[in-house]
Amino acid sequence: MLDPPLASEDVLKRLVVHYATVLSKAATRREVPSRHELETCRSLAMKAADHEIPLQTIFIQCSAETYRLWEGLPELERKLDVRALSSRKAGGAPHRDVMKAASEVALSSILSGHAAAARRATDQDLRRGDRFLDDLLACRATFPDLLEHGESLGLQLGACHAVVALSPDKPLRAAWPDLPSLEHSLRTRFTTGGVLAGRYADNLVALVAVASAEPATSAKALRDAVTEALKARPSRQTSWRIGIGRPRPGVHGIRVSYEEAREALEIARRTDVECLGPDDSELLLRRVLGRDRAAMAELIRAVLLPLTSAHHGPGPLLDTLEAYFAAGCMTTQAARALHLSVRAVTYRLVRVKDLTNHDVNVPEERFALETALRGARMLEWPRRPLPDM
């Protein structure tokens, strides 16, 4: 017959009693705790974490036991007749020193066990999220199963949700520790509905319930929350590209929002933009430009292809055009962004005019240059060849 599960108070009591026993034995025998004793500390701490007992509570209880034993150590020595034992171990460390060392290693084992259980619980939650996102976005489960699974994760799939797709600049496994902090930040910001973050199709995906009454406002708040969360994360060694879909209701709406977020993420990655949302003019413009790839490739050939004859190739001239347009056609600001002199930027712009017969100072020709440049960034030219006409 199986033993009934222990309550949280019983788990904490067993851990504290074992900790006190380890310290008492170490002090009276003047021996370091055995591997078995430390492993028991670790396993009991894991059980405490499984019962959601905070680490702070454990340390307060253990500290109280340490103080009690420390104060009663002389009486404990006399009670156990330690003097006879000490005489056989002349030259050993004082009892208090051994007890202090035992406390340090025992608490270290407790910390290790509690942290391991917390990581295990987090990994289990993340894997559940991964499986749900795979079932939801890849249409691998029936609607009733999705509803039941979603409810177990705190989601109401009939509500209005927006999808955020994130791509790191390093392997996904190395960027994985940033996900729990992102999910926590979104939960703090969007308290009226559920939040789920996980991995799907080599990206991180966050599913956020938002207010359906004002989708545009919700999308803007979501963008602000995601960017703030990534800036406030513990490790800032990872750079992210972010795509956000429009908030939509229901399972089908979530899938449509994901496709929008994935498209925005892909455009953000290609054009070196940090974040694109559903109402960004940049995204809308690039979506229009990308409808006819053949026509865009023809425009690039007609306007920008002559830049390939430049001495260092088209790259430096394209970068100069991009900085110039981003600076509002201000040569001084473009030079500052490129870390070049104004004279160098001016020379490059003249070189563009000589090669393409398009002058950035003529509105119609400037528009053709900027449109072709945007198309080139979207098609990743010249790194990739232009599609055939």
Side-chain angles (χ1 to χ4, degrees), residues 214-227:
E214 299 178 349
T217 304
S218 299
K220 183 180 184 303
L222 183 59
R223 174 177 181 155
D224 294 342
V226 171
T227 53

Side-chain angles (χ1 to χ4, degrees), residues 23-24 27-28 69 72-82:
L23 264 61
S24 298
T28 55
L69 292 172
L73 186 56
E75 179 63 27
L76 182 64
E77 291 175 343
R78 286 191 296 271
K79 182 179 179 181
L80 298 178
D81 195 20
V82 178

Side-chain angles (χ1 to χ4, degrees), residues 128 132 146-159 161 183 187 190-196 207-209:
R128 289 177 63 207
F132 176 75
L146 287 175
L147 286 180
E148 181 179 357
H149 195 178
E151 288 180 356
S152 69
L153 296 172
L155 298 173
Q156 297 294 330
L157 297 184
H161 290 81
E183 188 175 44
R187 288 184 186 277
F190 296 89
T191 57
T192 58
V195 174
L196 176 69
L207 183 63
V208 184

Side-chain angles (χ1 to χ4, degrees), residues 294-360:
M296 180 55 64
E298 184 177 357
L299 176 64
I300 294 170
R301 289 189 179 95
V303 177
L304 299 181
L305 193 62
L307 297 181
T308 56
S309 62
H311 180 64
H312 295 289
L317 298 180
L318 292 174
D319 292 342
T320 301
L321 284 174
E322 187 171 42
Y324 181 74
F325 294 139
C329 299
M330 300 292 291
T331 308
T332 304
Q333 294 184 18
R336 187 180 301 114
L338 293 168
H339 303 288
L340 296 173
S341 66
V342 174
R343 181 178 180 181
V345 172
T346 302
Y347 170 79
R348 289 186 178 184
L349 294 176
V350 171
R351 187 66 177 143
V352 168
K353 177 184 176 182
D354 293 339
L355 293 173
T356 65
N357 291 321
H358 286 74
D359 190 346
V360 294

Side-chain angles (χ1 to χ4, degrees), residues 127-257:
R127 283 195 292 270
R128 289 177 63 207
D130 292 348
R131 290 195 297 270
F132 176 75
L133 287 174
D134 189 62
D135 291 341
L136 173 64
L137 300 178
C139 305
R140 300 184 190 277
T142 63
F143 183 71
D145 290 340
L146 287 175
L147 286 180
E148 181 179 357
H149 195 178
E151 288 180 356
S152 69
L153 296 172
L155 298 173
Q156 297 294 330
L157 297 184
C160 193
H161 290 81
V163 178
V164 182
L166 306 98
S167 176
D169 63 349
K170 59 177 61 175
L172 191 58
R173 182 178 296 274
W176 188 241
D178 285 332
L179 184 59
S181 62
L182 171 64
E183 188 175 44
H184 175 74
S185 178
L186 291 175
R187 288 184 186 277
T188 303
R189 188 75 173 266
F190 296 89
T191 57
T192 58
V195 174
L196 176 69
R199 291 170 288 192
Y200 180 73
D202 296 326
N203 293 316
L204 299 185
V205 175
L207 183 63
V208 184
V210 298
S212 58
E214 299 178 349
T217 304
S218 299
K220 183 180 184 303
L222 183 59
R223 174 177 181 155
D224 294 342
V226 171
T227 53
E228 289 176 9
L230 292 177
K231 291 178 181 178
R233 65 192 186 277
S235 172
R236 299 189 181 184
Q237 297 179 354
T238 306
S239 297
W240 294 88
R241 303 290 178 201
I242 307 166
I244 301 176
R246 192 182 305 277
R248 299 177 184 274
V251 171
H252 178 69
I254 292 173
R255 291 168 178 162
V256 173
S257 182

